[in-house]
Amino acid sequence: MIREFGEGVRMLFRGFGTWRRRPGLMALGLVPAIIAGLLLLAALIPLAFSLWTIADWATPFADGWAEPWRDLFRGVVGIVLFAAALALAGAVFSALALAIGDPFYQRIWRAVEADLGDPPASDGGGFWSALGEGIRLVLLGVLVAVVVLLLGLIPLVGGILGPVVGVLLSGRVLARELTGRAFDARDLSPADRATLFRGSRARVLGFGAATQLCFLVPGGAVAVMPAAVAGATVLARSLLERTPVAPPPPRPGSVSAPLPPPVAHPPTGGA
């Protein structure tokens, strides 16, 4: 399991290797990440300066507590609130960056697929698909933030347990969303994707947790996003190699679809 987790982390580093092969293309991927990062900073910086006020407002029952327990408790509450906000911010950042930069990230994905060989013919969805996935990612991020907040309120261990679980859950969500384009291009059903993820849980978790931890570093989300898209493509291909799934039936009218049998005409009588 530890080896598989480390292999998932290595997938992210392989994504960074794309900078060496295609620096211009990867640099374009920074543009939507910068825009999304600036939008999030506009929300997170005021929140960081307001944490003590929010923690004070949320814990009126602690007003009569003796010092230093009151300030210590409210400090932990503030940390937990910010951890929950960061868990949500990671999902919101990815959703914004993927929606804004869909054309850029599609080119990165296509380039990595070509480097790996045998790329799919489909482009894996477009803007509206990215927007729908982004909305789902934000909703999952809200759920993860609530879980982190509830775990963080557990006495003694909550201050550590909440952030750790937040990184792992957020990372798993990120890994599933970032591999979506590669699976969309292959017309994989939700059941097929669940089979792939179930066969490599530790690897998926390693990639996602490493990505999420990079996102938590100031400026890290912007710098890592293009590499995360490239690394997720490598991860998706590794999952397909480890757990092959049956290809979907060809669509009617496609080149690979079988031709209908010829219609038999009754013989015409001769004179």
Side-chain angles (χ1 to χ4, degrees):
M1 181 176 178
I2 295 177
R3 181 179 178 182
E4 276 294 294
F5 188 92
E7 186 67 20
V9 176
R10 194 171 71 87
M11 297 291 176
L12 179 60
F13 284 101
R14 288 185 64 180
F16 279 107
T18 310
W19 276 99
R20 183 179 63 256
R21 298 187 300 273
R22 301 176 184 268
L25 185 58
M26 294 292 280
L28 284 177
L30 294 176
V31 176
I34 290 172
I35 297 173
L38 290 175
L39 291 174
L40 273 183
L41 281 177
L44 285 176
I45 291 176
L47 175 64
F49 283 107
S50 304
L51 279 176
W52 187 262
T53 303
I54 296 173
D56 189 19
W57 169 82
T59 57
F61 54 86
D63 288 341
W65 291 12
E67 295 293 351
W69 305 113
R70 180 180 60 194
D71 288 346
L72 181 61
F73 174 73
R74 285 176 172 166
V76 171
V77 170
I79 292 173
V80 170
L81 287 172
F82 198 63
L86 288 178
L88 178 58
V92 173
F93 169 82
S94 299
L96 281 174
L98 290 173
I100 296 171
D102 180 68
F104 303 107
Y105 296 136
Q106 186 178 80
R107 291 176 63 183
I108 292 174
W109 164 77
R110 173 61 65 183
V112 176
E113 288 277 11
D115 290 342
L116 295 174
D118 194 23
S122 171
D123 285 335
F127 170 77
W128 294 110
S129 175
L131 182 61
E133 291 175 358
I135 293 173
R136 188 166 75 97
L137 182 57
V138 171
L139 294 177
L140 290 173
V142 172
L143 181 60
V144 171
V146 171
V147 171
V148 171
L149 186 60
L150 294 177
L151 289 176
L153 296 178
I154 298 176
L156 300 179
V157 298
I160 298 176
L161 182 63
V164 170
V165 173
V167 168
L168 294 177
L169 290 181
S170 298
R172 188 171 184 272
V173 170
L174 277 176
R176 293 178 71 93
E177 292 302 318
L178 290 173
T179 53
R181 187 181 296 276
F183 295 149
D184 287 342
R186 293 169 172 83
D187 290 330
L188 296 186
S189 67
D192 291 334
R193 301 180 197 209
T195 299
L196 292 173
F197 289 125
R198 188 165 53 247
S200 302
R201 287 191 179 95
R203 180 175 297 193
V204 172
L205 191 60
F207 173 83
T211 303
Q212 178 66 10
L213 285 174
C214 289
F215 279 11
L216 295 178
V217 177
V222 173
V224 171
M225 192 62 186
V229 173
T233 308
V234 178
L235 173 64
R237 291 288 290 263
S238 76
L239 299 185
L240 288 166
E241 291 170 0
R242 297 189 72 196
T243 312
V245 294
R251 297 173 182 174
S254 65
V255 176
S256 58
L259 295 175
V263 179
H265 297 283
T268 57

